[in-house]
């Protein structure tokens, strides 16, 4: 059992303004994995074309606007916890193993998108994002158990195992929520190729009453197999509520993942795995209320995943901002895994955004 | 079903665009910062970057924070204003100088974009109503001269104000 570990990531962002209408952005992540090998990942590289005062066209590899955590809040100098919310999996939102299997990774994919803003009088806006990308694929089968921990997402285990383990399911089962079932494993990593002609489609609509409240609803759908018979759909609702001394952030996500199941006549039939989860994170900016605590935040977060791979997690943290871009975070998390081993972790993180 | 939802979304979008208000009132860059930056992260101090650097950063933030082009421009104008050096007025002989108008300066430098006064204004910074009463005029003057002197994480920009102008703002806030 690991009792201590150090890790480091360098995530430079490159920005270029070609002219008033065109802007280029790119972000890479350079990190060292647990075997000491250097990993380099292109998180996004896209071009924005500002079509009008309120409309932006985006092309390239970009963070998908699903919820608020993935596109906006996952950088460690923005996220108020040292850990990513349980429903997004991984440590710090960039993959890695954690006992609570998330519902989605931070999604980044190659395609095109449109963003439109509708101002509704003073301090009110509607945000509208739609996009079309290459989409996801089925993860290639592998035998190494450790590999499962390396996967950024969430959906664990092989499609073949699903078929084998549940041959005896009744024909009428079209939706499955049995706790014992294993989800198909999906590959969310962006690729320049596509395994089928179906494109992922999604978007988010949000209402913002600034500066305090933003609520949004997100949708993502794609076929992931070569024959375009198996689909994956995610629906999400999010809230970001900001006050003088507090921030409350939360998201609910529901996923539906199709898989083949052989019936008694050994014919493949499509079944659907439902899964859902949510988190709520509250930050109390004590330094804004008490001078003696200047720069100090207290954070508490609860997350749970339901129906399959059920788990719940509490996280407690203290942050100290050295200045507006540098933070030291100490976070303790306690995860209860319903069909597995419970987990407790403590992390200290230093993060610097520039 | 998916097509119906898509059509409904497009129709809704068109209707909202048609009926949305497009007030031509001047946008406060400080207010845009207050209302939008804190949605994700701490507001960043102006002096962290030069104006040419901000001109590259702001289009990036325009897309991230769902800012309109006019709002982005307003922020850049505010950043340019606060990056100016203290006016030459500092060198003007006191007997020839017209007393600066604190209220006008308070508005000109967008103080209320981030601070509330008498119930109106932003929340990134603390309310100003009781600041001088509680902390003294010396604190107020020092804060405007060097906003990070008591709090290194403060995003407050250093305004190009001379001593007379700072005192005028203090008088306006006390009144």
């Amino acid at each position: 059992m690991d009792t201590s570990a150090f890790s480091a990531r360098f995530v430079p962002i490159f920005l270029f303004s070609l002219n008033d209408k065109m802007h280029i952005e790119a972000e890479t992540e350079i990190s060292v994995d647990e075997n000491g090998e250097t990993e380099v990942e292109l998180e996004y590289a896209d071009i924005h074309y500002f079509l009008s005062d309120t409309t932006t066209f985006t092309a390239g590899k970009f963070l998908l606007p699903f919820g608020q955590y993935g596109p906006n809040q996952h950088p460690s100098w923005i996220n108020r916890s040292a850990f990513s919310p349980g429903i997004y999996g991984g440590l710090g939102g960039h993959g890695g193993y954690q006992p609570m299997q998330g519902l989605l990774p931070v999604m980044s994919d190659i395609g095109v998108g449109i963003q439109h803003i509708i101002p509704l009088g003073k301090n009110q806006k509607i945000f509208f994002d739609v996009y079309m990308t290459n989409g996801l694929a089925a993860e290639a089968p592998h035998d190494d158990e450790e590999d499962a921990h390396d996967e950024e997402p969430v959906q664990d285990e092989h499609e073949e195992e699903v078929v084998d383990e549940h041959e005896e399911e009744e024909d009428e089962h079209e939706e499955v929520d049995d706790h014992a079932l294993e989800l198909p494993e999906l590959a969310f990593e962006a690729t320049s190729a596509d395994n089928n002609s179906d494109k992922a489609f999604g978007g988010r609509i949000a209402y913002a009453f600034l500066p305090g409240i933003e609520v949004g609803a997100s949708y993502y759908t794609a076929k992931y197999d070569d024959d375009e018979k198996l689909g994956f759909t995610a629906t999400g609702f999010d809230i970001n509520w900001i006050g003088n001394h507090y921030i409350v952030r939360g998201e609910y996500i529901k996923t539906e993942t199709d898989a083949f199941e052989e019936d008694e006549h050994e014919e493949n039939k499509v079944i659907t795995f439902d899964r859902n989860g949510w988190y709520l994170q509250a930050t109390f900016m004590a330094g804004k209320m008490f001078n003696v605590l200047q720069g100090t935040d207290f954070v508490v977060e609860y997350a749970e995943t339901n129906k399959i791979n059920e788990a719940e997690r509490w996280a407690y943290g203290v942050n100290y901002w050295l200045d507006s871009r540098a933070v030291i975070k100490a976070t303790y998390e306690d995860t209860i895994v319903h069909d597995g081993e419970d987990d407790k972790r403590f992390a200290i993180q230093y993060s610097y955004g520039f | 079903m998916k097509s119906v939802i898509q059509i409904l979304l497009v129709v809704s979008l068109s209707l909202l665009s048609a009926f949305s208000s497009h007030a031509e009132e001047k946008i406060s860059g400080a207010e845009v910062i207050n209302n939008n930056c804190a949605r994700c992260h701490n507001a960043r101090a102006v002096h962290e970057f030069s104006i040419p650097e901000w001109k590259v950063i702001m289009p990036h933030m325009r897309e991230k924070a769902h800012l309109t082009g006019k709002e982005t421009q307003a922020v850049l104008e505010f950043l340019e204003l606060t990056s100016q050096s203290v006016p030459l007025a500092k060198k003007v002989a006191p007997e020839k100088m017209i007393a600066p108008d604190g209220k006008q300066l308070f508005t000109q430098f967008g103080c209320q974009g981030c601070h509330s006064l008498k119930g109106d204004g932003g929340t990134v910074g603390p309310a100003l109503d009781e600041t001088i009463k509680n902390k003294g005029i010396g604190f107020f003057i020092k804060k405007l001269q060097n906003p990070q002197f008591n709090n290194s994480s403060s995003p407050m920009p250093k305004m190009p104000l001379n001593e007379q102008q700072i005192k005028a703002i203090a008088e306006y806030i006390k009144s």
Side-chain angles (χ1 to χ4, degrees), chain A residues 15 17 23 25 44 48 50 52-53 63 71-73 77-78 80 115-119 121-123 125-127 129 210-211 214 240 242 244 249 288 291 294 321-325 353-354, chain B residues 2 6 9 13 16-17 20-21 25 31 34-36 38-45 48-49 55-57 59-60 62-71 123-124 135 150-153:
Chain A
L15 305 175
S17 273
H23 182 77
E25 61 180 16
Y44 58 78
H48 298 309
F50 299 112
S52 71
D53 188 58
L63 293 167
N72 287 66
Q73 293 160 3
W77 58 280
I78 294 177
R80 299 278 169 164
Q115 178 188 90
H116 186 64
I117 306 154
I118 304 171
K122 190 170 173 61
N123 295 340
K125 286 180 182 176
I126 288 180
F127 307 142
D129 288 90
L210 302 171
E214 179 178 343
N240 192 9
I242 301 161
N244 277 340
R249 291 170 172 163
K288 282 194 165 187
N291 280 339
Q294 213 145 58
W321 293 88
L322 301 168
D323 63 25
S324 58
R325 57 195 163 174
F354 59 96
Chain B
K2 194 192 290 183
Q6 289 171 19
L9 283 172
L13 187 64
L16 283 166
S17 291
S20 64
S21 62
E25 64 185 58
E31 196 174 346
N34 177 83
N35 288 356
N36 295 277
R39 278 163 49 210
C40 291
H41 58 81
N42 295 335
R44 304 294 287 269
E48 279 181 29
F49 303 103
K55 284 183 176 174
V56 178
I57 293 168
H60 174 69
R62 173 178 173 179
E63 195 275 340
K64 287 273 179 203
H66 292 83
L67 301 178
T68 66
K70 287 174 185 166
E71 288 173 326
T123 55
V124 162
K135 299 186 175 179
N150 68 326
N151 177 10
S152 59
S153 64

Side-chain angles (χ1 to χ4, degrees), chain A residues 263-306:
Chain A
D263 63 17
E264 58 190 6
H265 308 296
E266 296 188 350
E267 291 180 359
N268 279 337
K269 178 183 173 183
V270 175
I271 59 171
T272 302
F273 293 85
D274 282 344
R275 200 167 174 233
N276 66 58
W278 60 275
Y279 81 90
L280 203 60
Q281 181 192 79
T283 302
F284 173 55
M285 294 179 280
K288 282 194 165 187
M289 187 168 273
F290 308 107
N291 280 339
V292 69
L293 295 174
Q294 213 145 58
T296 307
D297 292 343
F298 297 102
V299 184
V300 60
E301 182 181 299
Y302 176 77
E304 66 177 47
T305 52
N306 299 312

Side-chain angles (χ1 to χ4, degrees), chain A residues 76-315:
Chain A
S76 54
W77 58 280
I78 294 177
N79 180 16
R80 299 278 169 164
S81 170
F83 301 105
S84 59
I87 63 171
Y88 279 99
L91 302 173
H94 290 263
Y97 172 73
Q98 70 166 18
M100 190 171 192
Q101 291 188 333
L103 293 149
L104 283 176
V106 172
M107 292 196 289
S108 174
D109 202 358
I110 299 169
V112 293
I114 289 275
Q115 178 188 90
H116 186 64
I117 306 154
I118 304 171
L120 293 171
K122 190 170 173 61
N123 295 340
Q124 293 184 67
K125 286 180 182 176
I126 288 180
F127 307 142
F128 193 84
D129 288 90
V130 292
Y131 55 85
M132 185 172 66
T133 63
N134 283 338
L136 40 75
E139 190 70 65
H142 51 76
D143 298 325
D144 188 347
E145 182 63 26
E146 287 182 6
D147 287 353
H149 297 171
D150 293 336
E151 303 304 330
E152 182 164 319
V154 198
Q155 317 288 353
D156 238 20
E157 301 301 333
H158 308 156
E159 183 177 313
E160 287 74 6
E161 289 182 356
V162 173
V163 174
D164 292 341
E165 289 183 12
H166 306 294
E167 287 179 333
E168 294 163 16
E169 289 286 326
E170 296 295 331
D171 284 353
E172 61 272 20
H173 282 208
E174 292 187 350
E175 292 194 357
V176 182
D177 61 1
D178 191 318
H179 296 177
L181 297 182
E182 299 284 359
L183 286 166
E185 186 176 2
L186 305 182
F188 283 87
E189 292 84 359
T191 58
S192 298
D194 199 351
N195 67 322
N196 57 40
S197 60
D198 180 84
K199 298 298 174 196
F201 170 83
R204 177 173 180 264
I205 185 165
Y207 167 76
F209 186 76
L210 302 171
I213 295 171
E214 179 178 343
V215 290
S218 306
Y219 182 74
Y220 174 92
T221 186
K223 300 287 186 190
Y224 70 84
D225 63 321
D226 294 351
D227 300 326
E228 300 176 19
K229 290 180 177 171
L230 303 175
F232 172 80
T233 301
T235 311
F237 299 95
D238 58 82
I239 183 168
N240 192 9
W241 179 27
I242 301 161
N244 277 340
H245 308 100
Y246 59 86
I247 303 170
V248 179
R249 291 170 172 163
E251 297 190 33
Y252 167 86
I253 295 174
K254 179 185 178 189
T255 61
E256 295 176 356
T257 311
D258 292 340
F260 282 126
E261 182 195 50
E262 283 185 356
D263 63 17
E264 58 190 6
H265 308 296
E266 296 188 350
E267 291 180 359
N268 279 337
K269 178 183 173 183
V270 175
I271 59 171
T272 302
F273 293 85
D274 282 344
R275 200 167 174 233
N276 66 58
W278 60 275
Y279 81 90
L280 203 60
Q281 181 192 79
T283 302
F284 173 55
M285 294 179 280
K288 282 194 165 187
M289 187 168 273
F290 308 107
N291 280 339
V292 69
L293 295 174
Q294 213 145 58
T296 307
D297 292 343
F298 297 102
V299 184
V300 60
E301 182 181 299
Y302 176 77
E304 66 177 47
T305 52
N306 299 312
K307 289 199 170 183
I308 301 172
N309 296 329
E310 291 186 350
E312 52 194 84
R313 188 185 81 174
W314 282 98

Side-chain angles (χ1 to χ4, degrees), chain B residues 66-115:
Chain B
H66 292 83
L67 301 178
T68 66
K70 287 174 185 166
E71 288 173 326
T72 310
Q73 188 56 37
V75 171
L76 280 171
E77 287 170 6
F78 174 73
L79 297 175
E80 285 177 344
L81 173 71
T82 57
S83 297
Q84 291 171 2
S85 60
V86 176
L88 294 174
K90 193 174 181 178
K91 296 179 180 175
V92 174
E95 61 272 20
K96 293 182 180 175
M97 206 177 74
I98 301 168
D101 183 332
K103 183 179 180 183
Q104 187 184 30
L105 289 166
F106 193 77
T107 304
Q108 181 186 345
F109 285 93
C111 306
Q112 216 153 355
C114 299
H115 297 274

